[in-house]
Short mmCIF file of all heavy atoms in Angstrom, two decimals:
data_model
loop_
_atom_site.label_atom_id
_atom_site.label_comp_id
_atom_site.label_asym_id
_atom_site.label_seq_id
_atom_site.Cartn_x
_atom_site.Cartn_y
_atom_site.Cartn_z
N HIS A 41 107.72 77.58 124.31
CA HIS A 41 107.90 76.80 123.08
C HIS A 41 109.22 76.06 123.19
O HIS A 41 110.21 76.42 122.54
CB HIS A 41 107.82 77.69 121.84
CG HIS A 41 108.22 79.12 122.05
ND1 HIS A 41 109.52 79.55 122.10
CD2 HIS A 41 107.45 80.22 122.25
CE1 HIS A 41 109.55 80.85 122.29
NE2 HIS A 41 108.31 81.29 122.39
N ASN A 42 109.22 75.01 123.99
CA ASN A 42 110.46 74.31 124.33
C ASN A 42 111.14 73.65 123.14
O ASN A 42 112.35 73.50 123.13
CB ASN A 42 110.18 73.25 125.41
CG ASN A 42 109.87 73.89 126.75
OD1 ASN A 42 110.52 74.85 127.14
ND2 ASN A 42 108.88 73.37 127.44
N ASN A 43 110.36 73.22 122.14
CA ASN A 43 110.98 72.53 121.02
C ASN A 43 111.09 73.41 119.79
O ASN A 43 111.00 72.93 118.66
CB ASN A 43 110.24 71.22 120.71
CG ASN A 43 108.78 71.47 120.37
OD1 ASN A 43 108.23 72.51 120.70
ND2 ASN A 43 108.15 70.51 119.71
N ILE A 44 111.32 74.68 120.01
CA ILE A 44 111.48 75.62 118.90
C ILE A 44 112.71 75.22 118.08
O ILE A 44 113.75 74.84 118.63
CB ILE A 44 111.58 77.07 119.41
CG1 ILE A 44 111.54 78.06 118.26
CG2 ILE A 44 112.82 77.26 120.28
CD1 ILE A 44 111.37 79.51 118.69
N ALA A 45 112.57 75.28 116.76
CA ALA A 45 113.66 74.90 115.88
C ALA A 45 114.50 76.13 115.51
O ALA A 45 114.06 77.26 115.65
CB ALA A 45 113.11 74.25 114.62
N THR A 46 115.69 75.85 115.01
CA THR A 46 116.65 76.92 114.71
C THR A 46 116.07 77.97 113.77
O THR A 46 116.32 79.17 113.92
CB THR A 46 117.92 76.32 114.08
OG1 THR A 46 118.46 75.36 114.97
CG2 THR A 46 118.94 77.40 113.79
N ASN A 47 115.30 77.55 112.79
CA ASN A 47 114.79 78.48 111.79
C ASN A 47 113.43 79.09 112.14
O ASN A 47 112.88 79.84 111.35
CB ASN A 47 114.67 77.78 110.44
CG ASN A 47 116.01 77.34 109.90
OD1 ASN A 47 117.03 77.97 110.19
ND2 ASN A 47 116.03 76.27 109.14
N ASP A 48 112.91 78.73 113.29
CA ASP A 48 111.58 79.22 113.67
C ASP A 48 111.59 80.66 114.14
O ASP A 48 112.51 81.09 114.84
CB ASP A 48 110.99 78.35 114.79
CG ASP A 48 110.53 76.99 114.30
OD1 ASP A 48 110.42 76.81 113.07
OD2 ASP A 48 110.28 76.11 115.15
N TYR A 49 110.55 81.38 113.77
CA TYR A 49 110.28 82.71 114.28
C TYR A 49 109.08 82.63 115.23
O TYR A 49 108.32 81.67 115.19
CB TYR A 49 109.95 83.67 113.14
CG TYR A 49 111.16 84.17 112.39
CD1 TYR A 49 111.95 83.30 111.65
CD2 TYR A 49 111.50 85.52 112.42
CE1 TYR A 49 113.06 83.76 110.96
CE2 TYR A 49 112.61 85.99 111.73
CZ TYR A 49 113.38 85.11 111.00
OH TYR A 49 114.47 85.56 110.33
N ILE A 50 108.94 83.64 116.05
CA ILE A 50 107.83 83.71 117.00
C ILE A 50 106.94 84.88 116.57
O ILE A 50 107.43 86.00 116.39
CB ILE A 50 108.34 83.94 118.43
CG1 ILE A 50 109.26 82.76 118.84
CG2 ILE A 50 107.17 84.07 119.40
CD1 ILE A 50 110.37 83.16 119.75
N THR A 51 105.67 84.58 116.40
CA THR A 51 104.73 85.59 115.93
C THR A 51 103.54 85.65 116.87
O THR A 51 103.05 84.62 117.32
CB THR A 51 104.23 85.24 114.51
OG1 THR A 51 105.35 84.97 113.66
CG2 THR A 51 103.42 86.38 113.92
N TRP A 52 103.07 86.85 117.14
CA TRP A 52 101.89 87.04 117.98
C TRP A 52 100.77 87.68 117.17
O TRP A 52 101.00 88.63 116.41
CB TRP A 52 102.23 87.91 119.19
CG TRP A 52 103.03 87.20 120.24
CD1 TRP A 52 104.37 86.96 120.22
CD2 TRP A 52 102.53 86.64 121.45
NE1 TRP A 52 104.74 86.28 121.36
CE2 TRP A 52 103.63 86.06 122.13
CE3 TRP A 52 101.26 86.55 122.04
CZ2 TRP A 52 103.50 85.42 123.37
CZ3 TRP A 52 101.14 85.92 123.27
CH2 TRP A 52 102.25 85.36 123.93
N TYR A 53 99.57 87.13 117.36
CA TYR A 53 98.37 87.66 116.74
C TYR A 53 97.35 88.01 117.82
O TYR A 53 97.33 87.43 118.91
CB TYR A 53 97.75 86.64 115.78
CG TYR A 53 98.34 86.64 114.40
CD1 TYR A 53 99.57 86.05 114.15
CD2 TYR A 53 97.67 87.23 113.34
CE1 TYR A 53 100.12 86.06 112.88
CE2 TYR A 53 98.21 87.23 112.06
CZ TYR A 53 99.43 86.65 111.84
OH TYR A 53 99.97 86.66 110.58
N GLN A 54 96.49 88.96 117.45
CA GLN A 54 95.40 89.39 118.34
C GLN A 54 94.09 89.10 117.63
O GLN A 54 93.98 89.29 116.41
CB GLN A 54 95.54 90.90 118.58
CG GLN A 54 94.43 91.57 119.35
CD GLN A 54 94.55 93.09 119.25
OE1 GLN A 54 94.59 93.65 118.17
NE2 GLN A 54 94.65 93.75 120.39
N GLN A 55 93.10 88.63 118.36
CA GLN A 55 91.80 88.37 117.75
C GLN A 55 90.68 88.91 118.63
O GLN A 55 90.54 88.50 119.79
CB GLN A 55 91.58 86.88 117.49
CG GLN A 55 90.30 86.61 116.70
CD GLN A 55 90.05 85.15 116.46
OE1 GLN A 55 90.47 84.30 117.23
NE2 GLN A 55 89.35 84.84 115.37
N PHE A 56 89.87 89.79 118.03
CA PHE A 56 88.66 90.27 118.69
C PHE A 56 87.51 89.34 118.32
O PHE A 56 87.57 88.67 117.28
CB PHE A 56 88.34 91.70 118.25
CG PHE A 56 89.41 92.70 118.62
CD1 PHE A 56 90.15 93.34 117.64
CD2 PHE A 56 89.67 92.98 119.95
CE1 PHE A 56 91.14 94.25 117.99
CE2 PHE A 56 90.66 93.89 120.30
CZ PHE A 56 91.39 94.52 119.31
N PRO A 57 86.47 89.29 119.14
CA PRO A 57 85.34 88.40 118.82
C PRO A 57 84.79 88.65 117.42
O PRO A 57 84.63 89.78 117.00
CB PRO A 57 84.31 88.77 119.90
CG PRO A 57 85.12 89.31 121.03
CD PRO A 57 86.28 90.01 120.41
N SER A 58 84.53 87.56 116.73
CA SER A 58 83.94 87.59 115.38
C SER A 58 84.79 88.35 114.36
O SER A 58 84.27 88.84 113.36
CB SER A 58 82.53 88.21 115.42
OG SER A 58 81.69 87.43 116.24
N GLN A 59 86.07 88.44 114.60
CA GLN A 59 86.97 89.04 113.63
C GLN A 59 88.13 88.09 113.36
O GLN A 59 88.41 87.19 114.14
CB GLN A 59 87.52 90.38 114.13
CG GLN A 59 86.47 91.47 114.26
CD GLN A 59 87.09 92.81 114.59
OE1 GLN A 59 88.22 93.10 114.21
NE2 GLN A 59 86.35 93.65 115.29
N GLY A 60 88.82 88.32 112.25
CA GLY A 60 89.99 87.52 111.94
C GLY A 60 91.18 87.94 112.79
O GLY A 60 91.26 89.07 113.27
N PRO A 61 92.13 87.03 112.99
CA PRO A 61 93.34 87.38 113.74
C PRO A 61 94.09 88.52 113.05
O PRO A 61 94.07 88.66 111.83
CB PRO A 61 94.16 86.09 113.69
CG PRO A 61 93.16 85.01 113.45
CD PRO A 61 92.12 85.62 112.59
N ARG A 62 94.74 89.33 113.89
CA ARG A 62 95.48 90.48 113.37
C ARG A 62 96.91 90.41 113.88
O ARG A 62 97.14 90.22 115.07
CB ARG A 62 94.80 91.76 113.84
CG ARG A 62 95.37 93.05 113.26
CD ARG A 62 94.51 94.23 113.67
NE ARG A 62 94.67 94.56 115.07
CZ ARG A 62 95.39 95.58 115.54
NH1 ARG A 62 96.06 96.34 114.70
NH2 ARG A 62 95.46 95.83 116.83
N PHE A 63 97.86 90.55 112.98
CA PHE A 63 99.28 90.48 113.33
C PHE A 63 99.64 91.58 114.31
O PHE A 63 99.25 92.74 114.17
CB PHE A 63 100.12 90.64 112.05
CG PHE A 63 101.59 90.78 112.29
CD1 PHE A 63 102.38 89.66 112.42
CD2 PHE A 63 102.18 92.03 112.36
CE1 PHE A 63 103.75 89.78 112.63
CE2 PHE A 63 103.55 92.16 112.57
CZ PHE A 63 104.33 91.03 112.70
N ILE A 64 100.41 91.21 115.35
CA ILE A 64 100.91 92.21 116.30
C ILE A 64 102.40 92.41 116.12
O ILE A 64 102.87 93.53 115.91
CB ILE A 64 100.66 91.79 117.76
CG1 ILE A 64 99.18 91.55 118.04
CG2 ILE A 64 101.18 92.86 118.71
CD1 ILE A 64 98.94 91.02 119.44
N ILE A 65 103.17 91.32 116.23
CA ILE A 65 104.62 91.46 116.25
C ILE A 65 105.26 90.11 115.95
O ILE A 65 104.66 89.06 116.19
CB ILE A 65 105.07 92.01 117.63
CG1 ILE A 65 106.49 92.57 117.59
CG2 ILE A 65 104.92 90.95 118.73
CD1 ILE A 65 106.84 93.45 118.81
N GLN A 66 106.47 90.16 115.42
CA GLN A 66 107.22 88.94 115.12
C GLN A 66 108.69 89.16 115.47
O GLN A 66 109.21 90.25 115.26
CB GLN A 66 107.08 88.57 113.65
CG GLN A 66 107.78 87.27 113.24
CD GLN A 66 107.62 86.98 111.77
OE1 GLN A 66 108.23 87.64 110.90
NE2 GLN A 66 106.80 86.00 111.43
N GLY A 67 109.32 88.10 115.98
CA GLY A 67 110.74 88.22 116.30
C GLY A 67 111.45 86.88 116.23
O GLY A 67 110.81 85.82 116.21
N TYR A 68 112.77 86.95 116.23
CA TYR A 68 113.58 85.74 116.23
C TYR A 68 114.36 85.60 117.53
O TYR A 68 114.40 84.52 118.12
CB TYR A 68 114.55 85.76 115.05
CG TYR A 68 115.37 84.50 114.94
CD1 TYR A 68 114.84 83.36 114.37
CD2 TYR A 68 116.68 84.45 115.42
CE1 TYR A 68 115.59 82.19 114.29
CE2 TYR A 68 117.43 83.29 115.35
CZ TYR A 68 116.88 82.17 114.78
OH TYR A 68 117.61 81.02 114.71
N LYS A 69 114.96 86.69 117.97
CA LYS A 69 115.69 86.64 119.24
C LYS A 69 115.75 88.04 119.85
O LYS A 69 115.39 89.03 119.21
CB LYS A 69 117.10 86.09 119.05
CG LYS A 69 117.98 86.92 118.14
CD LYS A 69 119.36 86.30 118.03
CE LYS A 69 120.24 87.14 117.09
NZ LYS A 69 121.59 86.55 116.96
N THR A 70 116.17 88.10 121.07
CA THR A 70 116.33 89.31 121.89
C THR A 70 115.04 90.10 121.99
O THR A 70 114.05 89.59 122.48
CB THR A 70 117.51 90.19 121.39
OG1 THR A 70 117.24 90.64 120.06
CG2 THR A 70 118.79 89.40 121.42
N LYS A 71 115.05 91.34 121.55
CA LYS A 71 113.88 92.18 121.75
C LYS A 71 113.46 92.83 120.44
O LYS A 71 114.29 93.28 119.64
CB LYS A 71 114.19 93.26 122.79
CG LYS A 71 113.05 94.23 123.03
CD LYS A 71 113.44 95.33 124.01
CE LYS A 71 112.34 96.38 124.12
NZ LYS A 71 112.69 97.49 125.04
N VAL A 72 112.15 92.86 120.25
CA VAL A 72 111.58 93.54 119.10
C VAL A 72 110.52 94.49 119.64
O VAL A 72 109.81 94.17 120.59
CB VAL A 72 110.92 92.54 118.12
CG1 VAL A 72 110.33 93.26 116.92
CG2 VAL A 72 111.91 91.48 117.69
N LYS A 73 110.45 95.67 119.04
CA LYS A 73 109.47 96.65 119.53
C LYS A 73 108.82 97.32 118.34
O LYS A 73 109.48 97.64 117.34
CB LYS A 73 110.19 97.68 120.41
CG LYS A 73 109.30 98.67 121.13
CD LYS A 73 110.15 99.56 122.04
CE LYS A 73 109.30 100.42 122.96
NZ LYS A 73 108.44 101.36 122.26
N ASN A 74 107.52 97.53 118.42
CA ASN A 74 106.84 98.35 117.43
C ASN A 74 105.88 99.29 118.15
O ASN A 74 105.93 99.41 119.39
CB ASN A 74 106.15 97.50 116.36
CG ASN A 74 105.07 96.59 116.90
OD1 ASN A 74 104.51 96.83 117.97
ND2 ASN A 74 104.77 95.53 116.16
N GLU A 75 105.02 99.95 117.43
CA GLU A 75 104.16 100.96 118.03
C GLU A 75 103.08 100.36 118.92
O GLU A 75 102.43 101.06 119.68
CB GLU A 75 103.53 101.84 116.94
CG GLU A 75 102.59 101.11 116.00
CD GLU A 75 103.31 100.38 114.89
OE1 GLU A 75 104.56 100.35 114.88
OE2 GLU A 75 102.60 99.82 114.02
N VAL A 76 102.89 99.05 118.81
CA VAL A 76 101.81 98.41 119.54
C VAL A 76 102.32 97.63 120.75
O VAL A 76 101.69 97.62 121.81
CB VAL A 76 101.04 97.44 118.61
CG1 VAL A 76 99.99 96.67 119.36
CG2 VAL A 76 100.43 98.22 117.45
N ALA A 77 103.44 96.94 120.58
CA ALA A 77 103.89 96.00 121.62
C ALA A 77 105.39 95.80 121.56
O ALA A 77 106.06 96.26 120.63
CB ALA A 77 103.18 94.66 121.41
N SER A 78 105.88 95.10 122.57
CA SER A 78 107.27 94.64 122.58
C SER A 78 107.29 93.13 122.73
O SER A 78 106.36 92.55 123.32
CB SER A 78 108.04 95.26 123.75
OG SER A 78 108.12 96.65 123.62
N LEU A 79 108.30 92.52 122.19
CA LEU A 79 108.45 91.08 122.27
C LEU A 79 109.84 90.78 122.81
O LEU A 79 110.84 91.23 122.23
CB LEU A 79 108.27 90.45 120.89
CG LEU A 79 108.41 88.93 120.78
CD1 LEU A 79 107.40 88.22 121.66
CD2 LEU A 79 108.24 88.49 119.32
N PHE A 80 109.87 90.04 123.91
CA PHE A 80 111.14 89.69 124.55
C PHE A 80 111.39 88.20 124.37
O PHE A 80 110.53 87.37 124.71
CB PHE A 80 111.10 90.03 126.04
CG PHE A 80 110.89 91.50 126.31
CD1 PHE A 80 109.60 92.00 126.50
CD2 PHE A 80 111.95 92.37 126.36
CE1 PHE A 80 109.39 93.35 126.73
CE2 PHE A 80 111.75 93.72 126.59
CZ PHE A 80 110.48 94.21 126.78
N ILE A 81 112.55 87.87 123.87
CA ILE A 81 112.91 86.47 123.62
C ILE A 81 114.26 86.21 124.27
O ILE A 81 115.27 86.82 123.88
CB ILE A 81 112.99 86.19 122.10
CG1 ILE A 81 111.68 86.62 121.42
CG2 ILE A 81 113.26 84.71 121.85
CD1 ILE A 81 111.76 86.69 119.91
N PRO A 82 114.31 85.30 125.26
CA PRO A 82 115.59 85.03 125.92
C PRO A 82 116.53 84.28 124.99
O PRO A 82 116.13 83.83 123.92
CB PRO A 82 115.18 84.16 127.12
CG PRO A 82 113.90 83.52 126.70
CD PRO A 82 113.22 84.52 125.81
N ALA A 83 117.76 84.15 125.42
CA ALA A 83 118.80 83.57 124.56
C ALA A 83 118.48 82.13 124.14
O ALA A 83 118.76 81.74 123.00
CB ALA A 83 120.14 83.61 125.29
N ASP A 84 117.86 81.36 125.02
CA ASP A 84 117.56 79.96 124.64
C ASP A 84 116.33 79.84 123.75
O ASP A 84 116.05 78.76 123.23
CB ASP A 84 117.44 79.07 125.88
CG ASP A 84 116.23 79.42 126.74
OD1 ASP A 84 115.42 80.30 126.34
OD2 ASP A 84 116.09 78.84 127.83
N ARG A 85 115.58 80.91 123.62
CA ARG A 85 114.40 81.00 122.73
C ARG A 85 113.30 80.01 123.08
O ARG A 85 112.39 79.77 122.29
CB ARG A 85 114.81 80.83 121.27
CG ARG A 85 115.85 81.80 120.82
CD ARG A 85 115.94 82.06 119.33
NE ARG A 85 115.71 80.91 118.51
CZ ARG A 85 114.78 80.84 117.57
NH1 ARG A 85 113.97 81.88 117.37
NH2 ARG A 85 114.63 79.75 116.85
N LYS A 86 113.35 79.42 124.25
CA LYS A 86 112.32 78.43 124.62
C LYS A 86 111.05 79.09 125.15
O LYS A 86 110.08 78.41 125.49
CB LYS A 86 112.89 77.45 125.64
CG LYS A 86 113.99 76.56 125.06
CD LYS A 86 114.46 75.55 126.08
CE LYS A 86 115.61 74.72 125.56
NZ LYS A 86 115.29 73.97 124.34
N SER A 87 111.07 80.39 125.25
CA SER A 87 109.87 81.11 125.64
C SER A 87 109.93 82.50 125.03
O SER A 87 110.98 82.92 124.51
CB SER A 87 109.76 81.21 127.16
OG SER A 87 110.80 82.03 127.66
N SER A 88 108.82 83.19 125.08
CA SER A 88 108.79 84.58 124.64
C SER A 88 107.72 85.30 125.44
O SER A 88 106.77 84.66 125.94
CB SER A 88 108.53 84.68 123.14
OG SER A 88 107.30 84.07 122.79
#
Side-chain angles (χ1 to χ4, degrees):
Chain A
H41 27 80
N42 290 318
N43 59 340
I44 188 169
T46 303
N47 296 331
D48 286 346
Y49 281 65
I50 300 147
T51 309
W52 285 80
Y53 275 77
Q54 173 192 56
Q55 187 181 27
F56 298 114
S58 298
Q59 293 187 30
R62 186 173 72 103
F63 172 86
I64 302 175
I65 197 165
Q66 183 181 72
Y68 183 80
K69 62 179 179 180
T70 62
K71 178 183 173 181
V72 181
K73 187 176 189 298
N74 62 23
E75 64 278 5
V76 175
S78 297
L79 179 60
F80 299 93
I81 306 166
D84 67 5
R85 304 202 323 123
K86 293 184 184 301
S87 67
S88 59

